Amino acid sequence: MSGHKATPVGGPLLTRTTGTLLAITLVGAALAIWRFAVGLGPSTGLSDGYPWGIWIAFDVVTGTALACGGYAMALLVYIFNRGKYHGLVRPALLTSALGYSVAAIGIIIDVGKPWYIWRIPVSVGKWNLDSALLEVALCVMTYVIVLWIELSPAFLEKWGEKSGLARGLGAFMDKALIWFIALGMVLPTMHQSSLGSVIMLAGPRLHGLWHTGWLPFLFLVSCIAMGYAVVVMESTLSSRAFGRVREDRMLVSLSNVIAFVLLVFVAVRLIDLVVTGKTALLFGAGGLSALFWVEMALFLVPALMLLAGRGHLGIGTMFRAALMIVFGGAMYRFDAYLVAFNPGPGWAYFPSVPEIVITLGLVAMEILVFIVLVKSFPILSGTRPAAAATK
């Protein structure tokens, strides 16, 4: 196992990879500016029947779940006292901070009057305390700030090499960080379950295979599974890209935890359908039944793979299982917010080209900033100096 001390990867920031990502980001940014110039109508496929498209279903609902690696690892390290995973926390926090920041940008692009968003946290007297969206908005806004504060020791370590002020702030953060970690436990628990509550309010417009009173719990459990899967994928891919020694033993030891979370999700969803008398929908809802079973397979198969491989599990199996979990979780959330949502006859939605390109630009920006930050600041542990940092 490699050492847990984080070090910058180093190497040039402008490479063929980062240049390509920057170009995609700029194209997406240009189209986002055009969307603000012409409005949502001409630039998107949104309508009164489908007020939310891929910017919400993918960038926010799915993107924040994929960004829950920091939350999932913090649960393991700080709540269940598994300190051996500490080396995975900082890169997971970076992934989370970037994912939630991109989700926040997605919301700004999606809403009709984003220049009023600042009023949400300050207009306390006008809050609708029965609104699940209010809780999501407040928690996401706060959590973005908390995540960057949790990650701040990485920046202060680097800047502290030349600045006494940064060293002083670093010493202060060492003492204060525990409070932000605690806050970072509460906020995603609240808003991830509230994302399930929001779509639960769609009532009969959401197909019965997805609509249940357990939606808040299923959204919370799915984000934890997706968070662990992203940690495995991020660690494996960054090890290959930057020539780091892989944390194989540490990643493989996560298999039991991941399998348990996946089986809880599958069991709750199936038992709920039986108890609520919806078993006829399992095979009688046409294409939606097929989508349901694909989702279930993408949760159940990796759970069985991880359990069957106990004692001799390889990192390749872990990566394939993580990939399935990411697809399964993304599909579950995408289906709940778009595919299985039916606002009534006469409405249809397919994302416009600008919607798709802007989403690609946001994803490219997230990867680009990740590469720049891990090359510049001590975020990844076990880094080999002068490794494949030119990628």
Side-chain angles (χ1 to χ4, degrees), residues 85-338:
Y85 297 110
H86 200 273
L88 299 174
V89 171
R90 193 172 276 186
L93 281 175
L94 174 59
T95 307
S96 297
L98 292 173
Y100 271 89
S101 299
V102 164
I105 296 172
I107 293 172
I108 291 171
I109 296 173
D110 182 83
V111 298
K113 297 179 179 179
W115 46 89
Y116 288 141
I117 286 180
W118 66 271
R119 292 184 177 180
I120 296 175
V122 300
S123 302
V124 179
K126 297 180 180 178
W127 283 357
N128 175 6
L129 298 179
D130 295 324
S131 170
L133 268 181
L134 174 67
E135 181 184 333
V136 172
L138 292 175
C139 286
V140 170
M141 286 179 177
T142 310
Y143 192 45
V144 170
I145 298 171
V146 168
L147 281 168
W148 285 107
I149 291 175
E150 286 186 84
L151 192 61
S152 65
F155 306 120
L156 294 173
E157 278 180 32
K158 177 69 179 290
W159 294 331
E161 295 171 359
K162 298 180 179 178
S163 167
L165 177 61
R167 286 194 294 275
L169 284 174
F172 170 77
M173 286 306 302
D174 284 341
K175 298 176 182 176
L177 203 56
I178 186 65
W179 301 104
F180 292 101
I181 291 172
L183 195 56
M185 296 285 95
V186 175
L187 292 171
T189 304
M190 292 173 65
H191 70 252
Q192 284 296 331
S193 58
S194 291
L195 286 174
S197 301
V198 169
I199 198 59
M200 186 175 69
L201 295 175
R205 288 185 291 277
L206 180 61
H207 192 272
L209 284 172
W210 283 266
H211 189 273
T212 168
W214 286 90
L215 267 167
F217 179 78
L218 290 171
F219 264 61
L220 182 61
V221 173
S222 63
C223 89
I224 295 173
M226 293 168 75
Y228 285 129
V230 168
V231 168
V232 172
M233 293 182 65
E234 177 276 319
S235 182
T236 307
L237 293 174
S238 61
S239 298
R240 184 178 180 85
F242 301 124
R244 295 168 56 229
V245 176
R246 284 204 314 255
E247 305 278 9
D248 287 8
R249 188 180 302 177
M250 197 182 301
L251 294 174
V252 168
S253 66
L254 286 172
S255 60
N256 287 343
V257 179
I258 299 174
F260 174 76
V261 175
L262 294 172
L263 291 177
V264 168
F265 178 91
V266 171
V268 170
R269 206 171 171 198
L270 285 176
I271 292 172
D272 175 67
L273 287 171
V274 172
V275 171
T276 55
K278 296 179 181 175
T279 51
L281 297 176
L282 291 174
F283 300 99
L288 291 177
S289 294
L291 284 178
F292 170 84
W293 284 113
V294 172
E295 288 177 14
M296 295 301 285
L298 289 171
F299 276 83
L300 187 58
V301 171
L304 298 177
M305 286 169 59
L306 296 176
L307 290 176
R310 281 192 299 181
H312 52 86
L313 197 63
I315 193 64
T317 303
M318 280 292 294
F319 187 83
R320 287 188 289 275
L323 195 60
M324 280 190 274
I325 297 166
V326 166
F327 276 121
M331 192 174 170
Y332 171 67
R333 287 166 175 255
F334 206 82
D335 288 345
Y337 266 75
L338 276 183

Side-chain angles (χ1 to χ4, degrees), residues 360-377:
L360 291 175
L362 290 173
V363 174
M365 179 183 70
E366 184 176 352
I367 299 171
L368 173 63
V369 177
F370 179 90
I371 293 173
V372 170
L373 290 182
V374 299
K375 283 190 171 186
S376 305
F377 296 95

